[in-house]
């Protein structure tokens, strides 16, 4: 899915490997009108400290814990359970509606805010949060009403090319 690789020079220095890339006067790759938006045509290189996407998931999983559930969120779970004691579909929809009605989307991707969800109570009380905050709230509320719920890290921008983006098992 990526364009041609950038010319690389590799020198093995024993404890270190020195890799250098050089690209000069590259012709801009122009996608045609039917090219998918995730297709990378430009010459490029990727770096990652993670060995694979599973490593990334394991790194982020603890950030989505639900051990700090505020009383107000527990009250919302009790309300949903009382209203829909046996209808799991209705409970799932009630969770979604509760979050949609309560949390306005606002992304402040400064520093850690671009990666780490805020505390559950902070998001619930403030009434705003980004996708990470909403996902964490949804998982917490779903668990409180009896669902097995886990967050999933996804992207909509890379489409079927996700496995070609770092981190890769065979990546640098």
């Amino acid at each position: 899915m990526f364009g041609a690789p950038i010319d690389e020079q590799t020198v093995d220095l024993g404890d270190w490997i020195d890799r250098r890339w050089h690209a000069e006067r590259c012709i801009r790759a122009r996608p045609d009108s039917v090219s998918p938006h995730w297709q990378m045509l430009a010459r490029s290189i990727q770096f990652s400290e993670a060995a694979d996407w599973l490593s990334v998931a394991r790194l982020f999983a603890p950030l989505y814990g639900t051990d700090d559930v505020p009383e107000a969120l527990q009250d919302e779970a009790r309300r949903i359970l009382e209203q829909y004691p046996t209808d799991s579909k209705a409970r799932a929809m009630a969770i979604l509606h509760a979050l949609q009605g309560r949390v306005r989307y606002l992304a402040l991707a400064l520093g850690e805010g671009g990666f780490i969800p805020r505390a559950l109570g902070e998001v619930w009380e403030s009434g705003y949060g980004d996708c990470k905050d909403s996902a964490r709230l949804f998982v917490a509320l779903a668990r409180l009403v009896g669902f097995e719920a886990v967050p999933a890290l996804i992207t909509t921008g890379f489409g079927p090319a996700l496995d070609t983006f770092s981190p890769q098992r065979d990546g640098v």
Side-chain angles (χ1 to χ4, degrees), residues 2-4 26-32 39-43:
F2 279 88
C26 295
I27 297 172
R28 181 176 175 198
R30 296 189 185 273
D32 59 40
Q39 187 177 34
M40 181 72 74
L41 299 175
R43 299 178 79 183

Side-chain angles (χ1 to χ4, degrees), residues 37-49:
H37 66 276
W38 59 78
Q39 187 177 34
M40 181 72 74
L41 299 175
R43 299 178 79 183
S44 57
I45 186 168
Q46 302 176 61
F47 295 94
S48 175
E49 293 180 13

Side-chain angles (χ1 to χ4, degrees), residues 8-21:
E8 176 184 347
Q9 284 184 309
T10 302
V11 179
D12 189 341
L13 301 172
D15 291 339
W16 294 88
I17 295 176
D18 181 355
R19 289 191 168 125
R20 297 175 189 212
W21 294 267

Side-chain angles (χ1 to χ4, degrees), residues 40-114:
M40 181 72 74
L41 299 175
R43 299 178 79 183
S44 57
I45 186 168
Q46 302 176 61
F47 295 94
S48 175
E49 293 180 13
D52 52 38
W53 287 107
L54 180 59
S55 301
V56 174
R58 287 183 176 145
L59 175 68
F60 280 89
L63 302 175
Y64 289 83
T66 56
D67 52 349
D68 61 339
V69 178
E71 190 64 34
L73 195 58
Q74 292 178 34
D75 290 344
E76 182 66 18
R78 282 189 283 274
R79 184 192 67 73
I80 291 170
L81 280 170
E82 286 172 8
Q83 192 170 0
Y84 307 103
T86 59
D87 188 346
S88 60
K89 285 183 180 180
R91 278 199 314 265
M93 290 304 296
I95 294 167
L96 184 61
H97 291 146
L99 296 181
Q100 287 175 335
R102 173 115 187 168
V103 181
R104 294 177 320 276
Y105 183 83
L106 177 65
L108 298 173
L110 304 172
E112 292 179 342

